[in-house]
């Protein structure tokens, strides 16, 4: 992966040094990144890739996506309920 980033990363403004920082950060905080990423619609689609590459435990991944998705959808559900009750 590092060789691929070194060769083609410049096309998406991803330097090898930044890639290394991202990898180390994800490895240290994979649960938090996955949980927070579930609240960002576009990131939600791509988070299984690093989780699989870095062999995140499936149970931890499932808990992180369950909590993150609940946080994201909980706000919309609450807002919908409040707006419905108000009418």
């Amino acid at each position: 992966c590092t060789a691929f980033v070194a060769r083609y990363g410049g096309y998406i403004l991803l330097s090898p040094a930044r890639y290394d920082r991202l990898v180390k950060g994800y490895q240290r905080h994979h649960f938090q990144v996955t949980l927070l990423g579930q609240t960002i619609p576009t990131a939600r689609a791509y988070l299984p890739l690093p989780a699989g590459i870095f062999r995140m435990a499936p149970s931890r991944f499932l808990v992180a996506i369950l909590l993150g998705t609940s946080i994201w959808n909980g706000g919309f559900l609450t807002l919908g309920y409040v707006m419905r009750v108000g009418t």
Side-chain angles (χ1 to χ4, degrees):
C1 260
T2 305
F4 183 81
V5 171
R7 184 169 183 167
Y8 299 108
Y11 293 113
I12 59 169
L13 304 175
L14 181 64
S15 67
R18 177 175 282 184
Y19 173 75
D20 289 338
R21 285 193 314 268
L22 288 170
V23 167
K24 289 176 186 172
Y26 186 82
Q27 288 175 335
R28 277 191 310 258
H29 306 291
H30 58 274
F31 184 83
Q32 295 89 338
V33 170
T34 303
L35 185 132
L36 179 64
Q38 292 302 310
T39 64
I40 304 168
T42 304
R44 182 182 303 165
Y46 297 105
L47 280 172
L49 294 172
I53 290 169
F54 297 119
R55 300 179 191 265
M56 183 177 181
S59 59
R60 290 183 57 86
F61 182 74
L62 288 174
V63 169
I65 63 170
L66 175 68
L67 290 173
T69 303
S70 297
I71 291 167
W72 175 252
N73 290 324
F76 291 118
L77 291 171
T78 302
L79 181 62
Y81 179 77
V82 168
M83 291 176 70
R84 169 82 163 80
V85 172
T87 60

